[in-house]
Amino acid sequence: MERSATARNEEAGMQQVTLAYGRDGLTIEVPDGAAVITPVPHTAAPDVPAELRRALREPVSGPPLRERVQRGQTVAISACDGTRAQPRDLMIPAVLEELDGIVDLDDVVVLVATGTHRANTEAELRAMFGDAVVDSVRIVNHDSRASDTHRFVGTYGDGVPVWLNEQWVDADVRLTTGFVEPHFFAGFSGGPKMVAPGLAALDTVLVLHDAKRIGDPRATWGVTQGNPVHDDVRAIAAATGVTYAFDVILNQRQEVIAAFGGDILEMHAVAIERAREVAMAPVDAPFDVVVTSGAGFPLDQNLYQSVKGMSAAAQVARPDGLIVCAAECADGYPDHGSYREVLTSATSPEALVEMINAREKTVPDQWQVQIQARIQSAHRVVMHTSHLSDAELAEAHLEQTADIAATVAEAVAKAGPDARVCVLPEGPQTIPYVR
């Protein structure tokens, strides 16, 4: 009788783990002793609409949303773009319902805070916001490169010249909506990031993401105070004015655990502490092999975003250790933006780091390349994708594997009997760190 796959796995000392990959996941085999670090299970709020309303009516600080808005005022709402898992289809209706009777829908604009990312298509907007919102409210993709659509509002933080979307600046009421999770160089997402870089002009983003700031060791996961990127992001939001800020924390199923509202910096500080509990995990020592993912759809749509999965793994990978990152990359590198051009413009990761550090002027997307090249300079990085060829990855100084289990087994055999293996099935949804 043929042995079952389970029996064979047990005999070989293997366990199955499902990585977040595209929409359906990817099941792989790893050694039995591997440390599998997943988000701590958190159930969704028992009544999500009620939790969202509570955040709008019982803020962390300051008065409720309705008390900050007057009849006849214009309203701009900042929301995440399609690469983020924000539940826009729940949050935006909650805001609009709370403003019902005060604000006319014709006076509302939802600004998709793309930063330097591409615009979202009509189909994507309907999937993101729902037909009811798309059909009732004007939605505009922010375009950081359209210089005539921004206003200069001053120089803030450490000498950052700030141009912001004119529809945001001109609105009587400015509302940020987002979700809070660890961010690989800004510390945490959400809150003030929904102003800049979300709604900032390219020239502002380039300063916020210059080589000096990105290269600072404090510009990393979970650090906000003293992080040169986040310090400036906070300074911009505080100086330019946000009427109300509204963020959520999500579990690994992208369900709302909790919602927070109020004055932007105070609200964000409280949300960060909850997110830290949900999404960061300590380990005792580094690992020889770390298998990670791009966190599945929507984050793993391209190689650019998969750098976050690599970065999460690098927090606990030993020097010269192996990082295997599984990301579907249905959108390729992608082809828009400057990421591919910068990434393929030098002969090695070390040469990329040297080139970027020597630049006097920041170029778009160099920050992502800077972080990726720094990781690749310290570790061997192997990708598993469904839409990038071996040759395309080789251009990016990356290897590809069709068989993650075999690649891991080879590395374990090379490292010896005491080899330590770690798996981050959700990629950057849980950020490990050495105690």
Side-chain angles (χ1 to χ4, degrees):
M1 180 182 294
E2 185 177 346
R3 291 168 299 160
S4 68
T6 301
R8 291 196 303 273
N9 289 345
E10 288 174 353
E11 189 175 297
M14 303 295 283
Q15 60 175 315
Q16 289 193 334
V17 178
T18 299
L19 306 178
Y21 184 85
R23 295 179 186 272
D24 300 322
L26 176 70
T27 300
I28 63 168
E29 294 177 1
V30 295
D32 261 344
V36 181
I37 300 175
T38 57
V40 176
H42 286 81
T43 57
D47 185 339
V48 170
E51 174 66 7
L52 298 177
R53 284 194 300 273
R54 185 200 57 73
L56 298 171
R57 296 176 183 180
E58 301 173 20
V60 168
S61 68
L65 174 59
R66 282 181 70 88
E67 294 181 16
R68 305 190 192 208
V69 184
Q70 299 175 17
R71 293 186 187 279
Q73 289 186 314
T74 57
V75 176
I77 303 171
S78 175
C80 299
D81 75 357
T83 64
R84 302 295 191 266
Q86 180 194 5
R88 292 159 292 254
D89 58 327
L90 301 177
M91 295 179 74
I92 302 304
V95 170
L96 297 178
E97 288 168 17
E98 200 64 14
L99 297 178
D100 187 39
I102 303 177
V103 173
D104 191 287
L105 290 181
D106 289 341
D107 291 327
V108 176
V109 60
V110 175
L111 298 171
V112 182
T114 56
T116 60
H117 301 167
R118 69 168 174 83
N120 289 118
T121 65
E122 170 80 11
E124 288 170 335
L125 293 175
R126 290 188 177 276
M128 290 157 59
F129 292 96
D131 290 336
V133 171
V134 174
D135 292 336
S136 62
V137 178
R138 189 163 57 96
I139 300 178
V140 176
N141 283 297
H142 171 69
D143 183 353
S144 67
R145 292 167 174 81
S147 57
D148 59 341
T149 64
H150 298 84
R151 296 195 194 285
F152 182 71
V153 294
T155 300
Y156 302 107
D158 186 12
V160 184
V162 181
W163 286 266
L164 294 178
N165 186 293
E166 62 182 0
Q167 296 186 70
W168 176 258
V169 174
D170 292 346
D172 300 315
V173 174
R174 295 187 284 273
L175 309 176
T176 62
T177 70
F179 79 107
V180 181
E181 65 176 354
H183 187 277
F184 68 137
F185 63 79
F188 280 91
S189 67
K193 281 188 88 260
M194 300 307 301
V195 179
L199 296 176
L202 180 60
D203 287 346
T204 299
V205 178
L206 295 182
V207 176
L208 280 173
H209 294 45
D210 67 13
K212 180 181 177 182
R213 286 175 175 82
I214 297 298
D216 191 299
R218 296 165 297 180
T220 190
W221 301 101
V223 178
T224 52
Q225 303 296 325
N227 177 333
V229 178
H230 204 277
D231 285 350
D232 285 347
V233 166
R234 288 198 314 277
I236 293 167
T240 58
V242 174
T243 307
Y244 200 89
F246 180 34
D247 276 338
V248 296
I249 306 292
L250 304 177
N251 64 18
Q252 66 189 99
R253 294 180 297 279
Q254 300 178 358
E255 299 166 332
V256 175
I257 298 171
F260 307 83
D263 299 329
I264 189 162
L265 299 189
E266 292 80 0
M267 178 283 298
H268 197 231
V270 171
I272 279 173
E273 291 315 306
R274 183 66 190 279
R276 197 185 302 278
E277 296 171 5
V278 170
M280 300 193 76
V283 300
D284 292 326
F287 296 88
D288 299 278
V289 178
V290 184
V291 180
T292 185
S293 80
F297 184 86
L299 199 60
D300 78 342
Q301 293 179 78
N302 53 54
L303 187 63
Y304 177 98
Q305 292 293 348
S306 75
V307 177
K308 295 175 181 176
M310 299 178 202
S311 180
Q315 305 310 299
V316 292
R318 69 164 174 77
D320 297 324
L322 170 67
I323 294 172
V324 181
C325 181
E328 189 176 51
C329 298
D331 200 19
Y333 267 84
D335 289 331
H336 55 83
S338 304
Y339 169 71
R340 183 173 189 168
E341 178 185 351
V342 178
L343 183 59
T344 59
S345 64
T347 56
S348 69
E350 293 79 9
L352 282 168
V353 172
E354 184 177 344
M355 178 185 72
I356 290 170
N357 284 333
R359 276 198 177 117
E360 292 185 5
K361 187 175 181 181
T362 306
V363 302
D365 298 328
Q366 79 169 39
W367 47 90
Q368 208 86 350
V369 175
Q370 183 179 359
I371 293 170
Q372 180 179 336
R374 192 170 63 206
I375 294 167
Q376 289 179 246
S377 297
H379 309 282
R380 177 188 171 203
V381 181
V382 177
M383 295 296 301
H384 175 87
T385 79
S386 299
H387 296 273
L388 285 169
S389 68
D390 294 5
E392 287 174 314
L393 287 170
E395 285 184 62
H397 321 291
L398 290 163
E399 302 172 58
Q400 173 139 261
T401 178
D403 187 340
I404 294 175
T407 300
V408 170
E410 179 185 341
V412 167
K414 184 177 179 181
D418 296 325
R420 288 167 50 82
V421 179
C422 176
V423 185
L424 305 174
E426 305 289 333
Q429 299 306 319
T430 299
I431 306 306
Y433 60 94
V434 180
R435 294 181 200 272

